[in-house]
Amino acid sequence: MSWHMWDGMEVYEQVGDTFTLSSAQRVRTGYTLTGYYDAKAADGGRIRVIIARAK
């Protein structure tokens, strides 16, 4: 499965109600990731934001 990501995608770590800017490299393992698209993938949408929550 492949994912289309925006070049300027931002990654945030969520702890409780707090969100901290992070990086895709930092959250590669040990996190559950949720991506948010700017449009449907079929319409050429890209993931713009990823929220990472520690497992």
Side-chain angles (χ1 to χ4, degrees):
M1 182 177 278
S2 65
W3 306 96
H4 300 285
M5 296 182 199
W6 181 50
D7 290 339
M9 177 187 71
E10 293 186 337
V11 178
Y12 293 90
E13 287 183 59
Q14 180 182 4
V15 178
D17 292 335
T18 302
F19 294 84
T20 304
L21 189 60
S22 188
S23 69
Q25 184 66 29
R26 177 176 163 82
V27 300
R28 285 187 86 118
T29 59
Y31 291 84
T32 300
L33 305 177
T34 304
Y36 293 92
Y37 281 87
D38 58 355
K40 293 180 191 175
D43 293 334
R46 300 280 187 260
I47 294 175
R48 298 255 179 181
V49 175
I50 291 179
I51 304 299
R53 294 173 188 92
K55 289 185 179 179

